[in-house]
Amino acid sequence: DSGVTQTPKHLITATGQRVTLRCSPRSGDLSVYWYQQSLDQGLQFLIQYYNGEERAKGNILERFSAQQFPDLHSELNLSSLELGDSALYFCASSSRALIQETQYFGPGTRLLVL
Amino acid sequence: AQKVTQAQTEISVVEKEDVTLDCVYETRDTTYYLFWYKQPPSGELVFLIRRNSFDEQNEISGRYSWNFQKSTSSFNFTITASQVVDSAVYFCALSEAKYGGSQGNLIFGKGTKLSVKP
């Protein structure tokens, strides 16, 4: 158990809908990362937050957004969903976002868009 | 261009065989970190090891060992006397220094699926 929690574990929805994925980092960690794992793209970085502020953006679609709240939990919002958004979404956390730190991953949220 | 290349898509071995998973990386930074993660069939990503660019000592942890060679930009992972429980997808990842030394995202390879048969 990494200490990172993600809810829900599974999500089935329809095209055009909007969903919210939630992540709670390990106790004391200030940095949260979101990754998407799909069969064709592999594991791809979406976005990073550090202590409530956006720190870095990767290949995140404009239909996707995220935020980190004062209690440090984070939410990833996916809207106007398409079939191709079906994937496993991981949240990871690290202590202070220093290069030498390890990112610990949550169990993931498996999203299926029908 | 891929920054982390895991050329072996799938490997199948019989229990007790040794197996090496290859990882080749590309970076222009002098300070960087390399990682290996394991993804068992249950789906979670489990951290295995972290290695910094200044430490080329090989590391051994039980049946696992890692060989880091800067000259060939490789960070290979060997499992000795493999077991069925080692069956998983293994990912190599690179972290480069950004923003004055703070951590950026992990750049993952495509992964190697290891199947260990009894």
Side-chain angles (χ1 to χ4, degrees), chain A residues 4 6 23 25 31-35 90-94 103-106:
Chain A
V4 179
Q6 289 186 249
C23 167
S31 191
V32 168
Y33 307 79
W34 286 96
Y35 292 84
F90 285 107
C91 165
S93 74
S94 68
Q103 291 182 29
Y104 291 93
F105 284 76

Side-chain angles (χ1 to χ4, degrees), chain B:
Chain B
Q2 268 190 295
K3 287 201 160 192
V4 179
T5 302
Q6 294 181 255
Q8 305 147 309
T9 307
E10 289 194 44
I11 300 176
S12 183
V13 299
V14 176
E15 218 173 9
K16 296 184 185 172
E17 280 186 28
D18 298 348
V19 58
T20 295
L21 310 182
D22 297 334
C23 173
V24 173
Y25 62 93
E26 180 188 328
T27 181
R28 280 181 272 188
D29 287 357
T30 53
T31 302
Y32 53 90
Y33 278 73
L34 296 162
F35 300 79
W36 277 94
Y37 285 85
K38 173 182 179 179
Q39 186 174 38
S42 50
E44 72 271 26
L45 278 168
V46 179
F47 164 71
L48 295 178
I49 191 170
R50 177 186 72 220
R51 170 67 73 210
N52 76 58
S53 52
F54 299 107
D55 182 2
E56 287 195 71
Q57 276 194 332
N58 289 337
E59 180 146 347
I60 298 174
S61 175
R63 297 184 297 105
Y64 294 172
S65 62
W66 290 269
N67 179 259
F68 174 37
Q69 292 196 336
K70 279 178 89 166
S71 60
T72 56
S73 297
S74 64
F75 185 42
N76 297 337
F77 172 30
T78 297
I79 302 175
T80 302
S82 59
Q83 299 177 1
V84 172
V85 292
D86 296 326
S87 296
V89 181
Y90 291 87
F91 291 95
C92 180
L94 167 70
S95 178
E96 298 171 306
K98 292 181 182 180
Y99 315 117
S102 65
Q103 187 184 67
N105 53 287
L106 290 173
I107 303 165
F108 283 90
K110 295 287 188 187
T112 296
K113 183 177 181 180
L114 174 65
S115 298
V116 182
K117 302 192 187 314

Side-chain angles (χ1 to χ4, degrees), chain A:
Chain A
D1 187 346
S2 67
V4 179
T5 60
Q6 289 186 249
T7 56
K9 284 195 87 168
H10 302 275
L11 203 45
I12 302 175
T13 188
T15 54
Q17 295 297 304
R18 172 190 168 94
V19 297
T20 298
L21 313 184
R22 184 188 167 102
C23 167
S24 291
R26 293 185 319 156
S27 178
D29 283 359
L30 299 178
S31 191
V32 168
Y33 307 79
W34 286 96
Y35 292 84
Q36 178 195 59
Q37 185 179 29
S38 62
L39 280 173
D40 51 344
Q41 297 292 327
L43 267 162
Q44 290 216 308
F45 168 68
L46 296 178
I47 197 164
Q48 176 197 2
Y49 278 82
Y50 177 72
N51 204 19
E53 294 194 2
E54 183 184 302
R55 173 67 74 89
K57 258 184 172 176
N59 297 324
I60 188 166
L61 299 171
E62 281 193 19
R63 301 183 284 108
F64 295 1
S65 65
Q67 57 185 132
Q68 186 179 27
F69 294 86
D71 67 352
L72 301 176
H73 91 271
S74 177
E75 292 181 357
L76 179 67
N77 299 298
L78 314 177
S79 62
S80 303
L81 284 167
E82 301 175 0
L83 296 177
D85 297 328
S86 296
L88 186 52
Y89 291 85
F90 285 107
C91 165
S93 74
S94 68
S95 179
R96 291 165 297 158
L98 297 177
I99 184 177
Q100 65 266 34
E101 292 174 356
T102 297
Q103 291 182 29
Y104 291 93
F105 284 76
T109 293
R110 193 171 293 276
L111 173 67
L112 180 59
V113 182
L114 299 174

